[in-house]
Amino acid sequence: MSHWYTRRDYEAAAEYIAGRIPLRPQVGVILGSGLNPLAEAVESAHALAYTDIPGFPTPTVDGHEGRLIGGLLEGVPVWVMQGRVHYYEGYTMQQVAFPVRVMQVMGIQALLVTNAAGGLNPAFRVGDLMLIRDHINLMGMAGLSPLRGPNDPTLGPRFPDMSQAYDPRLRRLAREVAEEHQIPIHEGVYVGLAGPSFETPADLRFLRLIGADAVGMSTVPEVTVARHGGMRVLGVSGISNVARMEAEPAGETSHEEVLAAGQQIVPRLTTLIRGILARWGAG
Ligand code: HPA
């Protein structure tokens, strides 16, 4: 029998954090692989190691710092998660989504979630940004949902709607900011896989065929829980590599490639997120 977390566990973590980061966060930001430097933009920052927060899972892969930073970004009180955990690290889906639940019980109403993803849409180039319009939950279809197990109706409904998982108004705001700063931006469908092996060329052709524009190993469980908890979500993928749909001798995908692309993605993503928060009241 699995261990299921309860509201008490989330509240214990929230209380621990609230005792050390003296602000009421409005927005939660999750930074994906190689995107840690965005947290440097946070002002009046207080940092906590995930290892010190009761119940928080700790990242085991390079490119994920494992620190929660609380502070102000463009005057908006935020929690920035510098790094996340993934299912492939051995955590349960409920553990993967644990920090989002802690955000929910803290009263955070909006989640900005980022990731590094492989581009499937042939128009995408390394370093591009993609606003997530929708996702394909292949992990969930295979039975890996963070909502599996007893449902606490004080956290959300047993069968949550996912028809507008990614908030259209926040996407419009993001597009306006991108235009203002001349950041090229795509919009598309993210498909979430369990990993950790990258896809075969046949996998990639399949994923393109079913309507995906970008592929990654995160985000979907966190967004599922955020929506279950009634949070508004904006998702942004940084395209760290492009899919090779045919087997090529020199065409290997690596984690190093993903992290290197982060350096290209971070300045644009930082501008985008700061611009969104600067207009937060208007969103
Ligand atoms: N596939 C899956 N996950 C990823 C990729 C990819 O090509 N790039 C970054 N995360």
Side-chain angles (χ1 to χ4, degrees), residues 33 115-119 190-191 193 197-199 204 215-218 238 240-243 253-254 258:
S33 299
N115 58 54
Y190 175 91
V191 60
L193 271 54
S197 50
F198 288 112
E199 301 71 37
L204 294 167
V215 53
M217 304 175 192
S218 66
S240 59
N241 55 291
V242 289
T253 299
S254 69
V258 170

Side-chain angles (χ1 to χ4, degrees), residues 129-148:
L129 297 182
M130 181 190 89
L131 292 176
I132 306 178
R133 183 175 61 239
D134 203 351
H135 70 218
I136 302 176
N137 186 0
L138 277 190
M139 298 186 255
M141 289 178 201
L144 300 179
S145 172
L147 303 182
R148 180 173 173 267

Side-chain angles (χ1 to χ4, degrees), residues 77-95:
V78 296
W79 277 4
V80 178
M81 285 183 53
Q82 222 178 10
R84 59 147 64 82
V85 303
H86 308 78
Y87 182 72
Y88 62 72
E89 293 173 73
Y91 292 108
T92 65
M93 280 297 189
Q94 224 194 0
Q95 284 176 303

Side-chain angles (χ1 to χ4, degrees), residues 3-255:
H3 166 78
W4 306 108
Y5 289 107
T6 67
R7 176 180 268 278
R8 222 17 250 140
D9 298 305
Y10 307 130
E11 285 172 350
E15 281 160 23
Y16 178 91
I17 299 165
R20 285 154 187 85
I21 301 183
L23 55 86
R24 270 210 145 282
Q26 289 179 17
V27 178
V29 182
I30 300 179
L31 301 179
S33 299
L35 307 178
N36 287 314
L38 202 147
E40 287 158 18
V42 179
E43 289 160 24
S44 314
H46 295 259
L48 292 176
Y50 293 172
T51 44
D52 291 337
I53 306 172
F56 243 61
T58 1
T60 61
V61 292
D62 279 357
H64 290 269
E65 294 274 348
R67 292 197 311 166
L68 174 70
I69 319 278
L72 298 176
L73 251 183
E74 301 296 332
V76 180
V78 296
W79 277 4
V80 178
M81 285 183 53
Q82 222 178 10
R84 59 147 64 82
V85 303
H86 308 78
Y87 182 72
Y88 62 72
E89 293 173 73
Y91 292 108
T92 65
M93 280 297 189
Q94 224 194 0
Q95 284 176 303
V96 169
F98 187 95
V100 178
R101 281 289 188 225
V102 177
M103 290 181 186
Q104 179 190 349
V105 301
M106 250 332 266
I108 288 182
Q109 290 177 358
L111 178 67
L112 306 189
V113 58
T114 69
N115 58 54
L120 295 163
N121 185 317
F124 292 4
R125 299 287 170 263
V126 170
D128 284 358
L129 297 182
M130 181 190 89
L131 292 176
I132 306 178
R133 183 175 61 239
D134 203 351
H135 70 218
I136 302 176
N137 186 0
L138 277 190
M139 298 186 255
M141 289 178 201
L144 300 179
S145 172
L147 303 182
R148 180 173 173 267
N151 186 62
D152 176 351
T154 71
L155 293 173
R158 173 79 282 187
F159 301 107
D161 176 64
M162 289 295 281
S163 64
Q164 290 210 316
Y166 298 86
D167 191 83
R169 277 189 304 154
L170 288 181
R171 254 187 292 139
R172 187 170 351 111
L173 181 62
R175 277 197 306 271
E176 285 167 12
V177 170
E179 195 170 324
E180 184 186 326
H181 294 275
Q182 290 165 10
I183 301 170
I185 199 143
H186 305 287
E187 201 165 307
V189 173
Y190 175 91
V191 60
L193 271 54
S197 50
F198 288 112
E199 301 71 37
T200 63
D203 286 331
L204 294 167
R205 291 194 299 272
F206 164 75
L207 297 173
R208 182 67 188 143
L209 201 63
I210 63 173
D213 295 289
V215 53
M217 304 175 192
S218 66
T219 303
V220 171
E222 292 133 317
V223 171
T224 303
V225 162
R227 293 303 296 151
H228 179 256
M231 293 163 78
R232 295 163 70 199
V233 175
L234 179 75
V236 188
S237 291
I239 304 301
S240 59
N241 55 291
V242 289
R244 298 169 175 111
M245 307 263 184
E246 304 298 334
E248 302 163 30
E252 291 192 0
T253 299
S254 69
H255 189 54

